[in-house]
């Protein structure tokens, strides 16, 4: 990864210096300095550049090349990140491996740590190259060259906190890029074992524990719902159990849906866009990325992460609608639709974490329903929880960083739709209504009324349109959201210390 420096003077050998300008007011206060630096009159500068979001103007100042980059008035973290990501991607040719980012022209101090984090995150996300399997040699992005370095120029009193923020941004984006790669990988390159190997390698590299249960162990433990979904598959299932920080008092549990390809099974999906179902392990990727990042940042928390892994395929052994299956919890499930497979493997994941780790907070992430995509498009994850404070924390962080969540109700009446004549519960209501909510009710059935459980349906946000690809591709959603949530929880213990519930 790229290296960085923090200093208070622009060195003369930088290939390009980007000067972020947050709207017209910020430009106004920078104009005098810019005029004296570049020799271009302030009137000319303000005629050609307003500081508007995404706009830019290049000034040549002797041997220096300054790029004024507009962020718009009061840019959020998400905006700053997006603008820098687009610059890194679209203006790749104009960037240099020796890049300066100057904040000398700015007197706004508040929130500068977030700005720095967003800048480095955006720049590096913008280097992402999707053509992993192209056989022709690609041009390396200037910021990925061996000697690449980003030089932040800041007032000396910002240095200490600034450096910390940059390091944290870099750690985050490094993991996000790894997660994006994993979600973009074609299904044949990410079998359950391949993802388990990813977790093992990550755990060794970043200092946490990961265990992988193979099929005999999964049978032995009684993860029957995972085994049921796997019955049609060529590849045996895996169950990854990762753990970090066992020495800390508070335990947070995360569970991620790891379906490496969702064909629908016997309830086969239509073929249009079926290839996108390689991303049906986006929840697994997000929680694995989170434990990697939490370990990297050495956060003082006990984190346990469970990832059930299988594809959902058709074979003579595959489960059929009408089958009744067993689960880790001991509850029986009637299969109505084999395409509602995510909730089955999550049920086992949730029960396993509850029984063996008793976390104070339990959050699952899953690309669970098309219903969420129809409701929110690509703008927000569906959030389901009975815990108001947990909901508010996730909401506030998501809004700030651009990984939005939106809460939907899980009133008890919705459970009526999931009642089965023959088993304890069925996996689909059979009706084309309230799909995301009834899926959440199914999961809730396996949470033993845990007071601080939240489910995030990330079907619309894990995979989306991007400037890197013609087709939809991975977004890296969830890693930053969960990690910031955990950081906040460590700081203020708002969820662990409150019993705020809603009926
Ligand atoms: N993996 C899909 C959900 C999905 C849809 C993710 C679109 C991303 C984009 C899930 O397993 C599924 O097939 N859900 C069904 C459930 C239904 C059969 C009850 C759905 O939403 O249609
Ligand atoms: Zn499905
Ligand atoms: Zn699925």
């Amino acid at each position: 990864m790229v290296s960085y420096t923090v200093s208070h003077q622009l060195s003369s050998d930088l290939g390009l210096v980007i000067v972020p300008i947050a709207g017209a007011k910020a430009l106004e206060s920078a104009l005098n300095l810019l005029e004296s630096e570049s020799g271009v009159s302030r009137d000319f500068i303000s005629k050609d550049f307003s500081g508007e979001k995404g706009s830019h103007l290049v000034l040549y100042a002797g041997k220096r090349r300054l790029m004024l980059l507009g962020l718009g008035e009061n840019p959020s973290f998400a905006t700053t990140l997006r603008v820098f990501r687009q610059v890194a991607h679209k203006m790749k040719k104009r960037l240099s491996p020796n890049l300066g980012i100057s904040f000398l022209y700015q007197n706004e101090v508040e929130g500068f740590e977030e700005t720095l984090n967003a800048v480095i995150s955006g720049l590096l996300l913008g280097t992402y190259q999707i053509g992993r399997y192209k056989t022709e040699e690609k041009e390396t992005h200037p910021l990925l060259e061996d000697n690449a370095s980003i030089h932040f120029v800041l007032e000396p009193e910002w240095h200490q906190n600034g450096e910390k923020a940059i390091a944290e941004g870099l750690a985050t984006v490094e993991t996000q890029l790894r997660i994006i790669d994993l979600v973009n990988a074609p299904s044949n390159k990410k079998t359950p074992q391949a993802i388990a190997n990813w977790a093992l390698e990550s755990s060794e590299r970043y200092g946490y524990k990961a265990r992988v249960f193979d099929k005999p162990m999964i049978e032995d433990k009684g993860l029957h719902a995972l085994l049921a979904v796997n019955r049609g598959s060529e590849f045996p299932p895996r169950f990854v159990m990762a753990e970090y920080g066992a020495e800390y008092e508070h335990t947070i549990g995360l569970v991620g849906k790891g379906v490496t390809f969702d064909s629908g099974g016997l309830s086969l999906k239509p073929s249009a866009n079926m290839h996108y179902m390689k991303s049906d392990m986006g929840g697994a990727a997000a929680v694995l990325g989170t434990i990697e990042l939490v370990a990297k940042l050495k956060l003082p928390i006990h984190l346990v992460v469970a990832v059930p892994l299988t594809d959902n395929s058709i074979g003579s052994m595959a489960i059929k609608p009408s089958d009744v299956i067993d689960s880790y919890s001991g509850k029986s499930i009637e299969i109505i639709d084999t395409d509602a497979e995510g909730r089955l493997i999550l049920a086992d994941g949730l029960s396993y974490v509850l029984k063996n780790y008793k976390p104070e907070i339990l959050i699952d992430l899953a690309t669970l329903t098309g219903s969420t995509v129809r409701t929110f498009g690509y703008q927000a994850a569906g959030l389901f929880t009975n815990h108001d404070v947990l909901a508010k924390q996730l909401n506030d962080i998501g809004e700030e960083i651009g990984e939005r969540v939106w809460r939907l109700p899980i009133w008890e009446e919705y459970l009526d739709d999931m009642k089965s004549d023959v088993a304890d519960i069925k996996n689909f209501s059979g009706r084309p209504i309230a799909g995301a909510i009834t899926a959440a009710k199914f999961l809730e059935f396996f949470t033993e009324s845990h007071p601080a459980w939240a489910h995030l349906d990330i079907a619309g946000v894990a995979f989306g349109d991007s400037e890197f690809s013609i087709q939809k591709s991975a977004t890296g959603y969830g890693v930053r959201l969960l990690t910031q949530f955990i950081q906040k929880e460590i700081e203020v213990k708002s969820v662990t210390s409150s019993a705020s519930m809603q009926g």
Side-chain angles (χ1 to χ4, degrees):
M1 267 274 146
V2 71
S3 65
Y4 65 89
T5 65
V6 176
S7 67
H8 65 279
Q9 238 167 7
L10 278 178
S11 72
S12 55
D13 58 348
L14 299 172
L16 174 71
V17 178
I18 299 181
V19 181
I21 304 279
K25 261 193 252 131
L27 177 63
E28 185 54 41
S29 59
L31 276 176
N32 282 343
L33 199 56
L34 287 168
E35 183 178 58
S36 65
E37 274 268 324
S38 67
V40 179
S41 90
R42 44 181 296 151
D43 290 348
F44 285 157
I45 298 175
S46 54
K47 266 212 168 66
D48 290 348
F49 179 76
S50 65
E52 205 177 297
K53 189 173 16 176
S55 62
H56 73 277
L57 175 72
V58 178
L59 296 173
Y60 302 96
K63 291 216 158 125
R64 201 164 275 156
R65 193 156 64 112
L66 296 179
M67 183 197 278
L68 309 187
L69 181 62
L71 300 177
E73 223 71 55
N74 299 320
S76 66
F77 179 95
T79 300
T80 303
L81 187 148
R82 192 170 333 113
V83 169
F84 273 87
R85 191 181 66 202
Q86 281 167 358
V87 165
H89 180 72
K90 292 196 192 130
M91 296 192 211
K92 172 176 149 178
K93 291 231 157 61
R94 307 177 71 167
L95 295 186
S96 124
N98 204 10
L99 179 68
I101 313 282
S102 176
F103 291 88
L104 290 179
Y105 304 84
Q106 200 169 317
N107 41 28
E108 186 67 52
V109 179
E110 216 205 313
F112 80 93
E113 288 99 339
E114 283 72 30
T115 305
L116 292 173
N117 186 326
V119 168
I120 190 129
S121 299
L123 282 174
L124 288 169
L125 281 172
T127 66
Y128 186 70
Q129 283 176 327
I130 195 148
R132 186 87 31 207
Y133 301 98
K134 288 188 191 289
T135 52
E136 253 172 51
E137 185 101 25
K138 296 161 284 211
E139 225 181 288
T140 330
H141 192 285
L143 294 177
L144 297 183
E145 282 176 27
D146 290 340
N147 59 345
S149 188
I150 303 177
H151 305 277
F152 290 88
V153 189
L154 318 168
E155 296 296 345
E157 65 265 33
W158 299 9
H159 284 194
Q160 208 182 3
N161 290 350
E163 231 170 289
K164 193 166 160 259
I166 296 164
E168 197 171 305
L170 194 60
T172 307
V173 73
E174 193 183 46
T175 292
Q176 277 178 321
L177 288 166
R178 280 161 52 70
I179 288 308
I180 289 173
D181 252 347
L182 204 52
V183 178
N184 281 335
S187 176
N188 64 334
K189 311 270 187 203
K190 57 174 174 204
T191 58
Q193 182 61 55
I195 296 184
N197 288 343
W198 188 100
L200 290 173
E201 279 160 30
S202 164
S203 70
E204 265 167 42
R205 196 147 119 204
Y206 297 107
Y208 63 96
K209 282 200 287 185
R211 279 179 303 153
V212 175
F213 304 161
D214 61 8
K215 191 172 176 187
M217 283 164 81
I218 291 170
E219 283 165 344
D220 201 48
K221 301 230 176 245
L223 294 155
H224 302 292
L226 173 59
L227 288 163
V229 173
N230 184 252
R231 283 180 63 91
S233 175
E234 166 189 7
F235 306 105
R238 291 290 182 266
F239 190 91
V240 176
M241 198 57 242
E243 184 170 9
Y244 161 81
E247 66 272 30
Y248 298 108
E249 184 194 350
H250 287 294
T251 305
I252 297 181
L254 301 175
V255 183
K257 170 177 172 180
V259 171
T260 56
F261 189 82
D262 183 8
S263 73
L266 280 176
S267 314
L268 186 63
K269 286 184 182 296
S271 52
N273 291 328
M274 202 208 266
H275 61 294
Y276 287 144
M277 283 303 122
K278 70 176 182 180
S279 68
D280 213 15
M281 35 59 75
V287 299
L288 287 173
T290 303
I291 194 166
E292 174 173 298
L293 182 54
V294 164
K296 229 194 268 183
L297 299 176
K298 300 194 165 47
L299 300 184
I301 190 82
H302 181 208
L303 185 63
V304 293
V305 165
V307 174
L309 292 158
T310 178
D311 58 8
N312 184 23
S313 295
I314 306 185
S316 61
M317 305 278 280
I319 50 168
K320 306 175 188 73
S322 86
D323 284 0
V324 173
I325 65 166
D326 199 358
S327 67
Y328 182 80
S329 67
K331 295 186 168 101
S332 61
I333 306 166
E334 180 187 10
I335 305 299
I336 302 295
D337 194 310
T338 63
D339 199 10
E341 84 298 341
R343 61 196 75 180
L344 302 175
I345 69 171
L346 283 172
D348 273 1
L350 288 165
S351 311
Y352 190 85
V353 169
L354 279 171
K355 178 160 180 231
N356 297 287
Y357 296 93
K358 307 197 172 22
E360 277 126 309
I361 301 172
L362 177 61
I363 304 177
D364 74 76
L365 269 78
T367 48
L368 203 64
T369 68
S371 168
T372 298
V373 190
R374 289 190 291 277
T375 306
F376 297 119
Y378 307 113
Q379 306 310 324
L383 166 65
F384 306 84
T385 180
N386 283 317
H387 198 296
D388 294 346
V389 176
L390 179 50
K392 183 170 179 347
Q393 296 289 30
L394 288 169
N395 182 77
D396 292 354
I397 294 166
E399 185 63 40
E400 171 62 20
I401 65 169
E403 296 184 14
R404 285 192 173 117
V405 307
W406 199 262
R407 192 178 182 184
L408 292 173
I410 42 175
W411 297 311
E412 64 180 60
E413 288 79 0
Y414 286 112
L415 187 62
D416 294 345
D417 266 4
M418 304 306 280
K419 290 193 172 138
S420 163
D421 285 323
V422 296
D424 296 334
I425 192 165
K426 61 188 180 191
N427 80 332
F428 173 41
S429 68
R431 301 200 293 163
I433 56 172
I437 298 177
T438 49
K441 289 307 282 185
F442 179 93
L443 296 180
E444 189 189 29
F445 192 69
F446 294 88
T447 60
E448 293 163 17
S449 310
H450 191 289
W453 161 71
H455 157 57
L456 285 172
D457 191 334
I458 60 169
V461 288
F463 215 64
D465 294 322
S466 92
E467 60 259 32
F468 313 116
S469 56
I470 307 159
Q471 300 253 313
K472 289 189 197 312
S473 66
T475 62
Y477 184 99
V479 175
R480 195 185 291 272
L481 176 67
L482 291 172
T483 306
Q484 286 207 11
F485 168 77
I486 292 167
Q487 281 173 318
K488 190 86 203 222
E489 190 52 32
I490 292 168
E491 234 175 84
V492 297
K493 303 229 167 6
S494 59
V495 177
T496 354
S497 66
S498 80
S500 164
M501 300 272 294
Q502 183 191 290

